[in-house]
């Protein structure tokens, strides 16, 4: 016993590093010079993370960056942060840690600058995040508008599982009270919140102004074509004029706005003019979703062999116009619907880092069949995330899937646009 006691007293032991930063979602609000900055730090299981500011800009962080960002957001002194880093990353030179601290400070400053950018999460940017990334949950949820008794529990659960961003999908003639209450609840929780739909369904009365007062962060509006006739044929008579009026109003409200452009044969020929029209309206963020057909052209859908060419055209035109763009998972043509009906249903959800959640709580991945992977209100997130549908999803999302045919096509980061297995089937709004 004496020998054991002496060993405990006199044997030198290297201190164990602190416990890793727990995975999850951390939210804070800061005010400087009259500007409010909302910051979300999302920590992944592998220690990496993402810092999102004002629902307008985002940056990936290494495990070192996560520790620094969390310390800065908690108002720790630089000295304490450096001590924490040295304890956690004992093999990293002190000079390197000091450099990283300075870089994250600059990043926080840049992210907090007032801006009208939308949080466009294109899946892969090798300059920022080479190789794989481990996701504990999607970064965004697309949720159809429903009654408050259905919406409120789902919004709360999104925060609990670490999904910081919700986009509410609008039906025709949405209930203004239900929508306003949902936006207010998302704001109370600290979620980034947007709405997506036809301008005709957002233009009633002072709905947009009410949503802005409730804390709405961004608006995504269908804009199929600069040609009003082409747009209205897909989205309803008068919707083109309503969209342009709404975009002018979002500018007055200083609200982030996004054009949602469906890609069908009638809209592809107008793509350059459409982007220029959006730029003239000061809309610099555009999301694209293709309605695709596995065989030959079907009622305006894009045939699979042409999808690579369309994807390349989107990248070329968007970069030429200098707009921020997001390629959403293609939607497979549903012959039971007219083309206009399917376009109005929109994409299943807002990108490959998003998930679709129905009003009853059922959860679907961004791509593939409309498979119910579980119920957000009844099942643990771990069980849902481990469903076969999400294992396939993560296999595509966590590692790039480019081939040699189009090696420079950024849109191929999650799946080949010409591969029907990567399209979303049914499950629209």
């Amino acid at each position: 016993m004496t020998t054991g006691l002496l060993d405990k007293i006199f044997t030198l032991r290297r201190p164990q590093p602190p416990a890793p930063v727990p995975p999850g979602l951390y939210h804070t609000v800061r005010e400087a010079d009259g500007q409010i900055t909302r910051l979300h730090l999302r920590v992944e299981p592998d220690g990496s993370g993402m810092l999102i500011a004002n629902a307008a800009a985002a940056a990936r962080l290494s495990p070192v960056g996560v520790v620094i960002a969390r310390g800065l957001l908690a108002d720790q002194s630089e000295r304490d942060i450096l001590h924490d880093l040295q304890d956690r990353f004992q093999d990293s030179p002190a000079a390197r840690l000091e450099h990283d601290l300075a870089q994250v400070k600059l990043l926080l400053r840049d992210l907090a600058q007032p801006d009208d950018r939308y949080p466009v999460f294109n899946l892969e940017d090798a300059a920022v995040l080479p190789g794989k990334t481990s996701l504990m949950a999607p970064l965004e949820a697309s949720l159809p508008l429903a009654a408050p008794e259905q919406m409120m529990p789902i919004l709360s659960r999104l925060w609990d599982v670490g999904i910081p961003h919700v986009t509410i999908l609008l039906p025709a003639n949405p209930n203004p009270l239900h929508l306003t209450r949902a936006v207010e609840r998302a704001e109370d929780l600290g979620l980034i919140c947007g709405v997506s739909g036809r301008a005709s369904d957002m233009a009633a009365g002072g709905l947009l102004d009410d949503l802005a007062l409730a804390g709405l962060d961004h608006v995504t509006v269908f804009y199929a074509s600069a040609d009003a006739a082409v747009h209205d044929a897909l989205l309803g008579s008068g919707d083109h004029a309503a969209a342009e009026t709404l975009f002018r109003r979002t500018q007055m409200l200083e609200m982030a706005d996004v054009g949602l452009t469906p890609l069908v044969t009638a809209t592809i020929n107008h793509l350059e003019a459409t982007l220029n029209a959006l730029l003239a309206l000061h809309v610099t963020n555009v999301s694209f979703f293709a309605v695709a057909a596995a065989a030959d052209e079907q009622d305006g859908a894009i045939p699979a062999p042409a999808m690579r060419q369309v994807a390349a055209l989107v990248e070329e035109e968007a970069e030429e116009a200098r707009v921020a763009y997001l390629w959403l998972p293609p939607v497979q043509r549903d012959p039971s619907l007219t083309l206009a009906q399917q376009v109005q249903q929109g994409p299943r959800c807002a990108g490959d880092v998003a998930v679709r959640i129905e009003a009853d709580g059922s959860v679907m991945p961004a791509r593939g069949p409309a498979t119910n992977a579980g119920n957000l209100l009844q099942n643990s997130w771990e069980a849902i995330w481990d469903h076969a549908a999400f294992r396939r999803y993560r296999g595509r999302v966590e590692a790039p899937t480019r081939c040699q045919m189009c090696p420079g096509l950024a849109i191929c980061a999650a799946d080949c646009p010409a591969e029907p297995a990567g399209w979303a089937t049914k499950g629209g709004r």
Side-chain angles (χ1 to χ4, degrees):
M1 178 180 292
T2 302
T3 302
L5 178 61
L6 291 175
D7 285 343
K8 292 181 181 178
I9 294 174
F10 292 109
T11 300
L12 296 176
R13 291 182 173 85
R14 189 175 185 179
Q16 292 297 311
V21 178
L25 196 59
Y26 302 85
H27 176 236
T28 187
V29 176
R30 289 188 168 187
E31 182 176 1
D33 300 326
Q35 294 287 342
I36 300 294
T37 301
R38 294 172 56 208
L39 295 158
H40 293 80
L41 175 63
R42 156 83 173 262
V43 182
E44 304 291 349
D46 62 0
S48 67
M50 174 172 283
L51 188 61
I52 306 169
N54 282 344
R60 289 283 192 183
L61 296 174
S62 68
V64 171
V66 165
V67 174
I68 295 171
R70 192 182 181 201
L72 292 173
L73 295 178
D75 294 322
Q76 291 182 1
S77 69
E78 293 186 23
R79 180 180 177 181
D80 288 345
I81 293 172
L82 286 171
H83 283 164
D84 191 13
L85 291 171
Q86 289 162 358
D87 287 342
R88 293 175 183 274
F89 306 98
Q90 296 172 357
D91 295 330
S92 297
R96 177 64 189 178
L97 297 177
E98 291 173 3
H99 172 78
D100 289 344
L101 174 58
Q103 290 298 107
V104 176
K105 284 181 64 179
L106 289 173
L107 175 66
L108 273 171
R109 183 199 66 187
D110 292 343
L111 288 177
Q113 295 296 319
D115 202 306
D116 63 354
R117 290 174 296 169
Y118 168 72
V120 173
F121 297 125
N122 271 327
L123 185 62
E124 179 199 31
D125 184 344
V128 177
L129 191 71
K132 292 187 177 183
T133 179
S134 174
L135 295 175
M136 68 179 185
L139 296 172
E140 180 176 353
S142 296
L143 174 62
L145 179 66
E149 58 268 23
Q150 294 176 291
M151 296 284 288
M152 302 308 174
I154 292 175
L155 293 172
S156 296
R157 280 288 291 153
L158 292 180
W159 182 267
D160 292 341
V161 303
I163 300 177
H165 185 176
V166 61
T167 296
I168 300 170
L169 307 177
L170 301 188
N173 304 310
N175 184 305
L177 180 59
H178 292 176
L179 181 56
T180 303
R181 288 188 60 186
V183 172
E184 289 174 341
R185 179 57 180 159
E187 170 69 13
D188 290 343
L189 289 166
L191 294 168
I192 300 166
C193 183
V195 298
S196 176
R198 295 189 313 162
S200 301
D201 296 315
M202 301 185 203
L207 178 58
L208 190 63
D209 294 61
D210 292 341
L211 295 176
L213 288 173
L216 187 68
D217 292 300
H218 66 85
V219 176
T220 299
V221 180
F222 280 103
Y223 197 83
S225 175
D227 186 318
V230 171
H231 177 106
D232 286 356
L234 294 168
L235 292 155
S237 178
D239 190 74
H240 185 271
E244 297 199 336
T245 298
L246 187 142
F247 282 133
R248 295 187 184 98
R249 186 60 188 159
T250 57
Q251 294 299 313
M252 294 180 65
L253 293 171
E254 298 183 343
M255 181 182 292
D257 46 24
V258 186
L260 179 60
T261 299
L263 299 171
V264 295
T265 55
T267 63
I268 291 172
N269 295 332
H270 302 271
L271 193 55
E272 180 180 2
T274 298
L275 292 177
N276 288 334
L278 286 168
L279 285 174
L281 292 163
H282 305 288
V283 179
T284 57
N285 304 293
V286 187
S287 291
F288 298 94
F289 74 99
V291 179
D296 294 334
E297 180 181 327
Q298 295 179 3
D299 187 28
I302 301 170
M307 283 291 288
R308 292 188 185 93
Q309 181 181 356
V310 170
L313 177 65
V314 166
E315 285 195 6
E316 177 183 341
E317 295 290 357
E319 290 172 3
E320 180 70 22
R322 302 184 69 179
V323 299
Y325 68 96
L326 183 63
W327 174 268
L328 307 182
V331 177
Q332 184 164 329
R333 181 74 178 98
D334 182 354
S336 69
L337 303 173
T338 67
L339 183 63
Q341 288 172 332
Q342 187 158 16
V343 165
Q344 290 177 38
Q345 282 192 351
R348 182 184 293 170
C349 54
D352 278 299
V353 291
V355 65
R356 174 65 174 262
I357 301 176
E358 297 294 343
D360 64 359
S362 59
V363 181
M364 288 184 288
R367 292 177 180 263
T371 302
N372 181 2
N375 191 292
L376 189 69
L377 301 177
Q378 299 171 4
N379 306 122
S380 71
W381 178 253
E382 290 75 18
I384 295 171
W385 199 227
D386 195 47
H387 189 278
F390 277 108
R391 289 199 297 272
R392 290 191 295 270
Y393 161 89
R394 292 199 302 277
R396 288 185 166 97
V397 170
E398 292 179 356
T401 54
R402 290 195 181 96
C403 65
Q404 292 304 311
M405 186 172 294
C406 306
L409 199 60
I411 282 170
C412 295
D415 229 320
C416 173
E419 176 51 60
W423 300 348
T425 59
K426 299 186 178 180
R429 74 187 65 202

